Amino acid sequence: MRKNMWMLLVLAMFSFVNADDAGNKNRKANKLYNQGKYEEALKLYEDALLLDPPNGKLKMNRGSAQYKLGDFDGAERSYLDALSSQNEKKVQADAHYNLGNVQYKQGEQLEMEGNAASARGKYSQALENYINTLKLRPNDKDAKWNLQMAHRKVDMLEGQEDKPGDQDQDGGGDKDDQEGGENDKKDDKNKGDDQSKDGDRGDDGQNQENQRQERDMKQEEAQRLIEQYADDADTLNKPRFQRGRIRQPEKDW
C-alpha cells in the first residue's frame, strides 16, 4: 500500500516538473515568436509538447508558429489537435478562429491554382469555424468580418462553377451540337439499356442535392450570424479588421 502511494507521489512530482519545464520553454518560445523568430519558437513549442503532450495551449502556439512559417497544413493539424484536447472556452474559440484563418489561406492558394471546387470547400470550412467562434464568443469583431469574407468567397465560387455548365449548354460549335443530338437519339432508342445508368445518376443527383442543402444551411446560418452579431451595417462592411490575423500565442500559465 505504502509502495503504491510512494509511486503515485513520484509520478505526481515528475508530472509537475515536466509541466514546469514545459511552461519555461513556452515562455522562451513566446519571446522568440514576438521577435519574429518563428522557426526557433516552433522548435521550443515542440520540445515543450514532448514534456506535456496533452497541453492544448502549447498545440495552439505550435500552430501559430507553423502558420507564420507558411505551413498551413501543419497549422491546421495543430489547431484541430488543440480543439480535441482542450475544453477551455477561450482556447476553443481561438482554435476555431485560427483554424478558419488557416483554411481561408488554403482556399486562397487553391483558388490561385485554378482549383475552384476545392477552394470553395476550404472557404466553406473556414465559414463554419468562424460560425463556431461566434457561438463561443459572440462579440468577436474579427470573426464577424472574416465570416463575411468567407461567405462572399463561397458565393462567388459557386457562381463561377455554375457558368461553365451554362456555357456548355448555350455555346459551343456545330459539331458539339450535332454530337449532342445524336447522343440524345441513342438514349431514346436504348432506354432499357440505360435504366441502371439512370439509377446511378439519380443517386448522384440526390447526393449533390443533399450537399447543396447542407451548404445552403451553413450559408443561411452564416447570414443569420452576420445580421445577429453585427453592431451595425457600416461597422461590419468596413474592412477595419485584419483578416487572417492569428491570435497571439498563449502566454504563461
Side-chain angles (χ1 to χ4, degrees):
M1 185 71 176
R2 290 181 178 178
K3 184 177 180 181
N4 289 338
M5 290 179 63
W6 174 249
M7 287 296 295
L8 289 173
L9 181 61
V10 170
L11 287 172
M13 291 177 63
F14 183 74
S15 298
F16 177 79
V17 170
N18 276 359
D20 189 51
D21 286 345
N24 288 334
K25 288 183 181 295
N26 177 68
R27 287 187 285 273
K28 291 178 182 177
N30 286 347
K31 290 180 181 178
L32 292 168
Y33 182 99
N34 291 330
Q35 293 169 5
K37 299 177 180 178
Y38 303 120
E39 289 185 4
E40 296 174 52
L42 177 59
K43 177 67 170 59
L44 277 177
Y45 289 137
E46 289 176 339
D47 288 346
L49 275 167
L50 291 175
L51 296 170
D52 193 5
N55 195 309
K57 294 179 179 179
L58 280 172
K59 293 172 184 177
M60 284 283 295
N61 291 357
R62 178 181 62 186
S64 296
Q66 289 169 321
Y67 179 93
K68 289 291 189 180
L69 290 167
D71 181 9
F72 300 133
D73 291 343
E76 183 179 37
R77 288 192 295 270
S78 291
Y79 293 139
L80 286 170
D81 200 7
L83 277 172
S84 66
S85 62
Q86 179 61 249
N87 293 324
E88 185 180 330
K89 188 175 179 180
K90 179 186 180 300
V91 177
Q92 287 267 317
D94 284 347
H96 278 298
Y97 175 85
N98 287 354
L99 190 55
N101 287 348
V102 167
Q103 290 164 343
Y104 194 102
K105 284 287 189 183
Q106 290 171 323
E108 286 183 325
Q109 288 182 333
L110 289 165
E111 190 179 355
M112 289 178 64
E113 293 168 3
N115 194 340
S118 296
R120 180 173 55 75
K122 279 297 179 181
Y123 288 132
S124 295
Q125 290 176 6
L127 180 73
E128 188 171 356
N129 275 296
Y130 293 137
I131 289 172
N132 289 332
T133 304
L134 288 169
K135 286 178 178 178
L136 293 166
R137 193 162 48 211
N139 295 321
D140 190 323
K141 292 187 176 182
D142 288 332
K144 293 176 191 178
W145 171 250
N146 292 0
L147 171 65
Q148 181 168 272
M149 294 289 290
H151 190 261
R152 288 175 179 172
K153 281 288 190 180
V154 171
D155 280 348
M156 180 189 73
L157 289 177
E158 279 185 348
Q160 288 181 3
E161 286 180 7
D162 290 340
K163 287 179 181 179
D166 295 339
Q167 289 172 357
D168 290 342
Q169 292 176 3
D170 297 334
D174 294 336
K175 183 178 179 181
D176 293 337
D177 292 340
Q178 290 171 5
E179 289 178 355
E182 290 174 2
N183 288 333
D184 290 341
K185 291 175 184 177
K186 290 178 183 177
D187 290 340
D188 290 338
K189 291 178 182 178
N190 298 303
K191 286 183 180 177
D193 295 337
D194 287 340
Q195 284 180 356
S196 61
K197 295 179 182 178
D198 290 341
D200 292 340
R201 284 194 213 100
D203 292 340
D204 291 342
Q206 186 62 48
N207 289 335
Q208 290 175 2
E209 180 61 26
N210 290 339
Q211 291 174 3
R212 182 178 293 277
Q213 288 178 359
E214 183 179 355
R215 188 167 63 244
D216 289 345
M217 287 174 64
K218 288 179 182 177
Q219 290 197 56
E220 286 174 7
E221 185 174 11
Q223 188 60 46
R224 178 182 62 79
L225 287 168
I226 287 171
E227 294 171 357
Q228 177 182 347
Y229 293 136
D231 299 323
D232 55 67
D234 290 337
T235 297
L236 192 59
N237 288 322
K238 289 178 182 177
R240 295 171 51 200
F241 316 119
Q242 296 179 356
R243 180 195 51 71
R245 180 174 63 82
I246 288 290
R247 302 292 191 212
Q248 287 298 305
E250 293 289 335
K251 297 183 180 179
D252 305 347
W253 57 78

